[in-house]
Amino acid sequence: DENIWINNDHFVDAFRPQIEPNGFSTKEALLKDREIHLSNVRKVFEHSNWLIFTLGLTEAWRAKKDGAVFPLAPGVSGGCYDKDKHEFVNYNINEVTNDLEEFVYKISNKNPSMNILLTVSPIPLIATYENRHVLVSTVVSKAILRVAADQIERKFDNVIYFPSYEIITSPANSGRYYKDDLRQVTDIGVNHVMRIFSKHFLNTESVSSS
């Protein structure tokens, strides 16, 4: 129900709030761009042989009225937070696994030839809404996503997990694959992941990190 936000004098897609940094000048422009986007998403789901799906975090904000989940908290890049309309949620292992399982079922029914490659993002949370240190929330969030990915991989023959998360975050690397902010991954780390990926899946020695 809540799918368009206002940001100053521009319109923001509530489900793609940063797709246009300054927002859209009219609702019509927003709706046209959304239609093009969803049409391309449909093509990906219906015609691709492979889908790479990266799991990022478990914290979210959603609408109380219909359960719609927003990629950002209302008020960050448009809209206004309203405690009567919005709520914070931190999805647990069962909820994440069930949602991911439902997604795999639906996309496999639509496109039986689709293979899904799961990864977990190595980028830690920049902030948490929980009353605890962001490091704790990061570890819990990533652990839940990693376990969910493992369970889904075991259940579906067309799902494969690729350990880019483990490659980047391994203690053996001593953090050298992170930039000085300890969040963003360095080019060296990206290239390492891509070399392993290319050898394992593409049987080639070089794949551009771009």
Side-chain angles (χ1 to χ4, degrees):
D1 184 67
E2 181 182 347
N3 58 74
I4 295 179
W5 288 338
I6 304 295
N7 189 16
N8 295 322
D9 58 344
H10 284 72
F11 299 91
V12 176
D13 189 331
F15 299 107
R16 300 182 305 147
Q18 295 180 326
I19 195 69
E20 284 292 339
N22 297 319
F24 295 88
S25 58
T26 65
K27 285 186 179 181
E28 290 74 20
L30 184 155
L31 293 173
K32 182 178 180 180
D33 189 82
R34 178 190 291 167
E35 182 179 353
I36 294 172
H37 169 78
L38 293 178
S39 175
N40 286 323
V41 171
R42 178 181 291 275
K43 290 178 182 178
V44 169
F45 286 173
E46 290 182 340
H47 303 296
S48 297
N49 293 322
W50 284 91
L51 176 69
I52 298 177
F53 194 116
T54 300
L55 306 173
L57 68 163
T58 57
E59 295 189 15
W61 292 87
R62 65 185 176 192
K64 290 183 177 180
K65 182 177 180 179
D66 54 15
V69 177
F70 305 110
L72 291 176
V76 174
S77 293
C80 296
Y81 171 72
D82 185 336
K83 65 179 181 179
D84 294 325
K85 294 182 178 180
H86 308 124
E87 62 182 354
F88 170 79
V89 59
N90 197 351
Y91 291 102
N92 61 40
I93 180 60
N94 291 330
E95 292 168 322
V96 173
T97 304
N98 291 339
D99 278 352
L100 194 54
E101 181 177 322
E102 182 179 2
F103 171 75
V104 174
Y105 272 127
K106 286 185 175 181
I107 201 169
S108 298
N109 287 333
K110 177 65 67 173
N111 182 356
S113 64
M114 172 78 80
N115 295 291
I116 299 173
L117 189 146
L118 295 178
T119 67
V120 172
S121 169
I123 299 177
L125 278 67
I126 194 171
T128 178
Y129 191 73
E130 298 278 10
N131 186 25
R132 60 190 181 190
H133 197 283
V134 67
L135 179 61
V136 177
S137 287
T138 292
V139 172
V140 171
S141 185
K142 301 299 182 180
I144 288 173
L145 298 176
R146 182 61 189 92
V147 171
D150 184 72
Q151 292 184 358
I152 295 301
E153 181 190 28
R154 292 173 185 273
K155 186 164 186 175
F156 294 94
D157 292 336
N158 64 328
V159 175
I160 298 173
Y161 177 78
F162 179 71
S164 54
Y165 174 80
E166 288 82 352
I167 295 171
I168 297 299
T169 63
S170 171
N173 299 325
S174 301
R176 70 177 184 272
Y177 286 159
Y178 283 106
K179 296 182 180 179
D180 291 341
D181 63 2
L182 300 180
R183 292 192 71 248
Q184 302 302 318
V185 179
T186 65
D187 290 342
I188 294 175
V190 172
N191 289 333
H192 185 186
V193 169
M194 293 306 297
R195 276 198 306 273
I196 296 176
F197 177 84
S198 64
K199 290 180 180 179
H200 188 70
F201 289 101
L202 305 180
N203 194 28
T204 180
E205 290 296 322
S206 63
V207 173
S208 171
S209 62
S210 64

